[in-house]
Amino acid sequence: MIDSRVAALNGGLIVSCQALPHEPLHSSFIMGRMAKAAAEGGAKGIRANTKEDIAEIRKNVDLPIIGIVKRDYPDSKVYITPTMREVDELMSAPPEILALDATGDTRPGGVSLDEFYHAVREKYPDQLLMADCSTAEEALYADRLGFDFISPTMVGYTDQSRGDQIAADDFAILRRILDGASRAKVIAEGNINTPEKARRVIELGCFCVVVGSIITRPQLITVPFAKAVAEAAAARGE
């Protein structure tokens, strides 16, 4: 059941505040401040990685959180909350919404999505679950399976979606999901890197929109500016 805090995400912006160990801003302290800055800018929710970051973010903002744990396993391509270990970690500081990889790829240990979903539901029956998918078919399957939220988060990151882009053809993949979903609320996420794109997915009917790197990863934001300046300098012979 969606409570009033999660319902308040409707029509709003969720900012993904994440930095992996190899990134310059990797720090729970920094992610807490990043979340505070996002809240001051108008964010209605936060997406965060690890229980440590979630705990620090909660010290800084009173916003609903989508929680994940990114972890690689040698026998699986799935890395977003891939096993019950990650679920249990998150539930020690429970987020309002817990996101899982819901692609067609097999989880570590050969566990199928169906098996994993039902195991999580049995252990944590009241927890809201979000499906991170890479195709419209995966998202609609997750809808039928019983996820509370579905999203094309993984478009372009899996073998079955390689080369696809969420914004292509006026968000064709997202519109197929919106047209086919019967119960789950649709959250737009994945390479939504302009205010115009964020506005468009809300116009199309998404419950809310998640924006990440273009807001919270300065090393990536810097690249097009540095490239443009270098090209201009080269053009004038410097």
Side-chain angles (χ1 to χ4, degrees):
M1 181 177 178
I2 296 177
D3 63 19
S4 59
R5 280 174 57 79
V6 176
L9 293 172
N10 190 12
L13 170 68
I14 296 172
V15 173
S16 182
C17 297
Q18 301 179 44
L20 297 175
H22 66 277
E23 295 180 291
L25 297 188
H26 178 65
S27 159
S28 293
F29 175 85
I30 293 174
M31 290 303 103
R33 298 309 188 271
M34 188 74 78
K36 183 175 177 63
E40 289 184 4
K44 301 301 183 185
I46 303 294
R47 179 165 164 127
N49 175 36
T50 75
K51 65 179 182 180
E52 292 81 9
D53 282 12
I54 291 172
E56 183 64 28
I57 287 168
R58 288 207 189 282
K59 294 177 184 178
N60 288 272
V61 300
D62 182 24
L63 295 175
I65 294 174
I66 299 174
I68 64 170
V69 174
K70 289 181 176 178
R71 184 169 288 143
D72 293 318
Y73 285 83
D75 63 338
S76 175
K77 298 175 182 177
V78 172
Y79 61 91
I80 294 181
T81 322
T83 76
M84 193 62 76
R85 173 189 173 191
E86 290 76 35
V87 172
D88 290 340
E89 288 176 12
L90 289 169
M91 292 305 293
S92 68
E96 280 72 17
I97 301 171
L98 192 155
L100 316 171
D101 180 303
T103 67
D105 294 326
T106 304
R107 268 120 278 272
V111 176
S112 70
L113 173 61
D114 289 51
E115 292 172 314
F116 187 44
Y117 170 81
H118 289 299
V120 174
R121 276 292 190 213
E122 182 176 356
K123 191 169 186 180
Y124 300 108
D126 297 325
Q127 176 62 46
L128 294 173
L129 299 179
M130 174 176 169
D132 286 350
C133 305
S134 69
T135 68
E137 290 74 21
E138 289 171 348
L140 296 178
Y141 184 78
D143 174 50
R144 295 192 297 271
L145 199 54
F147 278 88
D148 303 286
F149 302 91
I150 53 178
S151 176
T153 312
M154 301 297 292
V155 170
Y157 292 98
T158 61
D159 292 341
Q160 58 269 31
S161 68
R162 197 73 65 198
D164 291 341
Q165 296 182 3
I166 185 174
D169 194 20
D170 190 26
F171 294 95
I173 293 173
L174 191 56
R175 285 188 282 113
R176 285 176 59 198
I177 296 170
L178 287 163
D179 289 343
S182 61
R183 61 174 304 279
K185 297 187 182 301
V186 179
I187 296 178
E189 182 176 5
N191 198 32
I192 298 174
N193 53 13
T194 68
E196 293 74 22
K197 290 180 183 178
R199 176 179 180 139
R200 180 59 177 151
V201 297
I202 297 299
E203 291 173 343
L204 290 172
C206 289
F207 179 68
C208 59
V209 55
V210 177
V211 177
S213 296
I214 199 64
I215 295 176
T216 58
R217 282 192 164 99
Q219 73 273 25
L220 299 181
I221 301 166
T222 302
V223 170
F225 289 93
K227 181 180 178 182
V229 170
E231 289 173 348
R236 69 184 192 186
E238 295 183 1

